[in-house]
Amino acid sequence: MDAVQLCEIAMLVLFGLSWPFNIAKSWRSRTAKGKSVVFEYFVVIGYLIGLLGKLITFSRTGVLPYSTWFYVADILMVLTDMVLYYRNSALDRRRDAEQNAK
């Protein structure tokens, strides 16, 4: 593993450290207010483009870089937070409907 790949892995780990906290906050808060799912779509697209680069490297060299797995982990965490966003949006709508019914 060379210095370039170590730097890339460090970047992915540091970006990835924020997602478990975000997921926990989404789970506990049970609201989507203040969240931007569009931002999360852009993040996932960015990670997917990075992952595509790793898959292209694999197709050309037969070597799957270690950083590939960090892209996969980060994508899965963002997707988890996105699922929670949609769950929380439904909970928000339900709460709002209940309040309007009173």
Side-chain angles (χ1 to χ4, degrees):
M1 187 176 337
D2 64 2
V4 172
Q5 195 170 15
L6 283 173
C7 288
E8 183 178 22
I9 289 170
M11 178 216 40
L12 290 166
V13 167
L14 291 171
F15 284 168
L17 286 175
S18 65
W19 292 110
F21 295 106
N22 219 5
I23 291 166
K25 183 178 178 185
S26 293
W27 181 261
R28 284 191 313 268
S29 72
R30 299 179 66 82
T31 184
K33 293 177 178 153
K35 301 265 307 183
S36 172
V37 75
V38 173
F39 169 76
E40 291 184 336
Y41 275 107
F42 285 131
V43 170
V44 167
I45 291 167
Y47 282 140
L48 286 171
I49 291 168
L51 180 60
L52 178 62
K54 299 304 154 187
L55 296 176
I56 291 169
T57 297
F58 177 70
S59 71
R60 291 180 179 170
T61 66
V63 176
L64 190 63
Y66 293 116
S67 57
T68 304
W69 304 111
F70 292 92
Y71 280 101
V72 171
D74 285 357
I75 290 167
L76 291 174
M77 287 188 286
V78 178
L79 290 175
T80 299
D81 198 49
M82 289 172 75
V83 167
L84 290 173
Y85 171 87
Y86 288 108
R87 177 203 73 161
N88 290 346
S89 291
L91 293 173
D92 288 340
R93 285 191 301 276
R94 188 178 313 143
R95 276 190 298 271
D96 291 345
E98 288 171 2
Q99 274 190 329
N100 291 336
K102 291 182 181 179

